[in-house]
Amino acid sequence: GDELALKAPLASPTFTGTTTVSGDLVPSTPLSNRNVIINGGFDIWQRGTSFSAISTLAFSADRWRYLDNSDAVHTISRDTDVPTQAQSGYKSNYSLKVLVTDDINSTGDLSSDHYSFITQKIEGYNIQPLQGNTVTLSFWVKTTQIGTYTICWRNSNLDMNMVKEYTINTTNTWEKKEITWTFDNSGGSWNYTNGIGGWLCWNFAHGSNFHTTKDAWQSTGEVMSTSAVANSGLGLNGDDSNTFFLSQVQLELGSNATPFEHRSFGDELARCQRYFIRAGAGAFDGATNGLTAITCQYYNSSHAYGGFRFPVYMRTTPTFGKSGTWTVYSAGTGRSAVVADNGMWHGGASLDFDTAVATTGDGANAYADGGSYLTYTAEL
């Protein structure tokens, strides 16, 4: 075939027939692991799929957190309304939907200290390759309220911030947005290990205390938006039944958005489980979590002790939570048990089942009852 020696960059070359390319082909951006955002396709929902009157600081989809200090009330849920494959080139299952169930006009205007947004905090290890480089954020959005909206990047110490605007042109229509900026790490305090590297925020409405100039790095910690927000500054929160859908979120190196990166369900789940693990008898999102029984290595007349390894190493030693009840079986008899933490590290946990257990027989095993589950949280 024809041989082509690449001596200079080519703009969007097209090759036909049998072509041999010599020399080193080095892509300007990664071919895989491009997307810094975790669960940007909204496939993983370990905590549930609908959150009515969601509380500030609560999580909905894995890695996605809601913060609000306003008089508005929101419901966040998993939704099957997504960009079509013909539109986006990618087959999505779900989007994240925000519904305004009580707008701020019913209780008062937007006060200067009010804010309302969803965010993903990104670990320092994951923002390290972005620093000092040009990056592009791309996402699909659909909302009933047209006009100007903002996203904000905040660093770990809230002493370097960047606000960018984007425009919703048509009501209730999926639109793709691409936002490019260059990371400035010359000032401020940045975390490049397992702490908060930065926050990426989609803003619904912010009072004047949080307004700043767009497209410029700021050292003031609390600036997050501009005064040009839609609906006379009230944004999404100005009207009951306003909706906001988000899908296919990607943050990557480079000045252009590449197609949304597909990761396997197992890969995406493992990335989420670095920060949160739900384990028990229940299932989530069509995938069983595997922990329905725990073998107890030691037991006596009042306690059974067992443990398990986490499916991934968590970001740090997690905090423990639980819901429901457990039953411990020994010598063929089941006994109700109260489960408690008996020690954790970032790779696994030990559990104490407070129950009477036969000291002889066929061993002891603890089973989650019904939809009972344990949670381990190492969120940023």
Side-chain angles (χ1 to χ4, degrees), residues 57-320:
L57 299 178
F59 285 88
S60 53
D62 275 55
R63 304 295 302 119
W64 292 92
R65 201 169 204 173
Y66 166 83
L67 287 88
D68 180 85
N69 178 39
S70 76
D71 295 321
V73 180
H74 301 93
T75 291
I76 295 182
S77 60
R78 187 181 73 181
D79 205 279
T80 56
D81 188 343
V82 295
T84 66
Q85 188 167 2
Q87 286 176 305
S88 69
Y90 182 82
K91 176 66 176 73
S92 285
N93 286 325
Y94 305 113
S95 63
L96 181 144
K97 176 185 178 181
V98 181
L99 169 66
V100 180
T101 57
D102 192 1
D103 64 55
I104 59 178
N105 285 324
S106 62
T107 52
D109 292 329
L110 183 69
S111 299
S112 60
D113 63 344
H114 280 183
Y115 56 80
S116 183
F117 62 100
I118 55 174
T119 184
Q120 181 165 141
K121 294 181 181 179
I122 301 173
E123 191 172 346
Y125 285 123
N126 296 334
I127 72 156
Q128 181 182 2
L130 308 182
Q131 295 300 70
N133 292 313
T134 298
V135 300
T136 297
L137 171 70
S138 59
F139 55 94
W140 284 82
V141 61
K142 172 181 176 179
T143 178
T144 50
Q145 180 63 61
I146 65 171
T148 300
Y149 288 81
T150 61
I151 64 102
C152 176
W153 175 265
R154 317 171 78 188
N155 75 342
S156 55
N157 210 40
L158 304 184
D159 54 11
M160 286 295 283
N161 304 271
M162 166 74 80
V163 173
K164 306 286 285 188
E165 293 181 348
Y166 65 95
T167 302
I168 302 297
N169 300 297
T170 307
T171 185
N172 211 31
T173 301
W174 281 108
E175 299 177 9
K176 185 178 183 181
K177 305 301 173 184
E178 299 180 11
I179 300 172
T180 299
W181 72 93
T182 299
F183 264 100
D184 182 357
N185 60 346
S186 60
S189 300
W190 298 86
N191 185 300
Y192 299 126
T193 56
N194 71 334
I196 300 172
W199 307 28
L200 193 54
C201 311
W202 280 256
N203 302 318
F204 303 141
H206 280 74
S208 58
N209 287 358
F210 304 97
H211 292 172
T212 188
T213 304
K214 67 176 181 178
D215 302 332
W217 285 98
Q218 308 284 338
S219 59
T220 304
E222 291 301 325
V223 295
M224 290 190 66
S225 189
T226 70
S227 59
V229 171
N231 205 6
S232 300
L234 303 182
L236 187 74
N237 293 347
D239 297 284
D240 282 355
S241 300
N242 267 348
T243 55
F244 181 94
F245 295 82
L246 190 63
S247 184
Q248 297 182 26
V249 182
Q250 183 153 294
L251 177 65
E252 61 189 312
L253 282 168
S255 57
N256 297 292
T258 64
F260 184 72
E261 181 181 15
H262 171 75
R263 291 195 284 252
S264 71
F265 184 90
D267 187 0
E268 203 74 74
L269 174 60
R271 291 170 189 253
C272 292
Q273 288 177 324
R274 177 169 170 79
Y275 307 92
F276 179 80
I277 294 172
R278 171 174 160 159
F284 60 89
D285 205 29
T288 58
N289 50 29
L291 180 64
T292 57
I294 294 176
T295 299
C296 299
Q297 293 86 3
Y298 172 76
Y299 46 92
N300 56 33
S301 60
S302 59
H303 291 270
Y305 299 94
F308 70 101
R309 288 189 176 274
F310 298 146
V312 300
Y313 283 106
M314 301 194 75
R315 181 186 64 88
T316 187
T317 301
T319 57
F320 172 75

